[in-house]
Structures are given as C-alpha cells and as structure tokens.
Amino acid sequence: MTFDRSLKIAPSILSADFADFGREIRAIEAEGADWVHVDVMDGHFVPNLTFGPPAVKAFRKHVTTVMDVHLMIAPVDPYIDAYAEAGADILTAHVEAGPHIHRTLQAIRAAGMKAGVALNPGTPAEAVAHLLDLADLVCVMTVNPGFGGQKFIDLTGKIRRLREMIGDRPIHIQVDGGVDPVTAPLVVEAGADVLVAGSAVFRGGSVEKSTVYGANMRAIREAVLPARQMTA
Ligand code: DX5
Ligand code: ZN
C-alpha cells in the first residue's frame, strides 16, 4: 500500500447481505469502492457481535483492493496475529479498548499490517497525541460504535484538530458513522480522506442491482468535490 491523501470510499460490509458476502464484496469493488471496511464486534466492547478471524479470512479471497479491518473488541492483543493471518491490510484498534494501545499499535505493525487507532465520539483528539508515530490511520467515530445506520454526530472540530496534529505525517484520517452525501463534505473539509459508509452505499441496491452501489458512491464523491477543492 502506498500513501496518498486522495479521497477513498470504504464501504462497510456491515450493511451487505450477510448470506452473500463474496458477491457483495465483488460488487462494491466493481462499482468503485477504494477499500473494503470490515467491522469486527465482540458483544463486550460494543453491544453487537460480528466476524471472527475465519470469517474475515473468507472475505479476503474476494478483496482485490485493501481490506480495512476495524476491531471493536477488547482485549485486542490476543487476536492480532489471527487477523494478520486472515489477511487484514489495515488493523484498527480503539484507544478505549485497554490501557496499552501503544503496545497494541507496535504489535499490529510487527505483524506486518498498517496500524489504525480509533476514537469514540467522547474521546478527545489529544488521546492519540503520543501515538502518531505508531499509527498509519486515525479513525474518528461519528457514531457510537456497534451498529450501522445511526445518525451522524458532528465532530468536525476534532477532525480539524487531528489534521493539525498529524501535519506532514503519512497518516490517513478516516471517518466512520453516518457518512452520506450530506455529511461527507463536512468531514472532508475538516481534513478526512477516507470515508467509511455502510447504509449510504448499500441503500437501495443488491448484488443484482449493483449499479445502485456505484451511483451511491458517486453521489458521495460528487458531494465532496467543492470541499476537496478547498482543502487542496
Ligand atoms: C459502526 C461501524 C461502522 C458502520 C457504519 O459501529 O464501525 O463502520 O457500519 O455504518 P453507517 O455508514 O451506516 O453509519
Ligand atoms: Zn467501522
């Protein structure tokens, strides 16, 4: 993976048809997804349960772009090698998941993956101040994690602050939760370059009607064009 700040859309397969992940992943990639976002939940750190390493390994066979795995689990460290073995390109852990996020990020990189650190809505940007040299991505949650389809929480001030803190470092700012054509320009203007979107990409489409996924992604890209010009 090479680094650049071009806009990337990372559809969350949490909004896909759970009986048809292979075809869903191929459909979103064919329709222009830049990354594939996989939401891992443990029923403990967040009140929902999703994918263990064997499921993620099965998804990998269909991903030709970047598999971006968002861990909403605690603890993280015992599972890092399993998600590396499952084929994650980026592994993101929450700063709130335990006292040793510094060690966790080191371990993610040591396992050969890019390391991401995620912040819940109530956590300030400063929580990652001493982690930036260990991170390849900061994920700003704009919903409380656990479910797709929730209402966007406006945290543009936090995104702006992170953008300043990051400076010239090659670190992506990802925004996750409630991103759609209305909210995307706000977060891009504040400094985000990777947009996770679940319901806004999958809404109205299916593997049989996958052009809807393409149209939904284009609607987000077109909505952020003026904001991209402002930040360029
Ligand atoms: C929330 C997940 C998100 C979620 C996004 O816990 O981390 O990735 O699926 O879904 P939407 O775009 O529907 O808010
Ligand atoms: Zn996510």
Side-chain angles (χ1 to χ4, degrees):
M1 274 180 76
T2 54
F3 179 85
D4 69 67
R5 265 186 229 291
S6 63
L7 182 79
K8 289 164 195 66
I9 297 188
S12 165
I13 59 168
L14 195 60
S15 294
D17 176 354
F18 270 41
D20 211 353
F21 281 117
R23 288 206 300 164
E24 289 278 44
I25 289 168
R26 295 201 302 273
I28 53 172
E29 289 198 340
E31 290 295 329
D34 298 288
W35 294 2
V36 175
H37 185 82
V38 180
D39 284 308
V40 173
M41 305 184 184
D42 68 351
H44 163 77
F45 180 71
V46 291
N48 197 1
L49 269 173
T50 60
F51 316 119
V56 175
K57 189 171 187 169
F59 303 154
R60 174 77 253 182
K61 295 202 270 293
H62 303 277
V63 176
T64 61
T65 56
V66 169
M67 190 162 73
D68 168 35
V69 178
H70 177 192
L71 297 181
M72 287 160 274
I73 68 172
V76 171
D77 295 12
Y79 301 100
I80 291 172
D81 288 344
Y83 284 100
E85 152 73 11
D89 295 300
I90 304 170
L91 195 66
T92 296
H94 270 258
V95 75
E96 307 86 1
H100 298 298
I101 184 70
H102 191 282
R103 176 189 295 151
T104 299
L105 295 176
Q106 287 177 324
I108 291 172
R109 281 187 170 172
M113 297 172 284
K114 299 282 184 194
V117 59
L119 298 170
N120 278 336
T123 303
E126 281 64 29
V128 299
H130 302 288
L131 301 172
L132 292 176
D133 292 327
L134 299 170
D136 302 291
L137 175 149
V138 177
C139 172
V140 178
M141 293 302 304
T142 41
V143 296
N144 285 294
F147 304 95
Q150 302 183 80
K151 191 175 176 315
F152 176 79
I153 301 166
D154 189 342
L155 294 167
T156 43
K158 176 153 76 175
I159 298 166
R160 242 179 266 287
R161 176 81 192 106
L162 281 165
R163 189 67 200 83
E164 281 169 19
M165 288 164 64
I166 286 169
D168 291 335
R169 294 178 179 88
I171 301 177
H172 295 291
I173 299 184
Q174 178 177 67
V175 173
D176 187 1
V179 174
D180 64 18
V182 174
T183 58
L186 307 174
V187 301
V188 168
E189 201 264 319
D193 61 300
V194 184
L195 304 180
V196 175
S199 37
V201 169
F202 285 91
R203 180 178 298 143
S206 65
V207 286
E208 285 80 22
K209 275 202 306 185
S210 62
T211 54
V212 173
Y213 300 158
N216 288 343
M217 286 187 268
R218 271 194 303 282
I220 295 173
R221 285 189 212 279
E222 280 162 22
V224 304
L225 275 179
R228 288 291 292 182
Q229 277 152 10
M230 280 171 70
T231 55

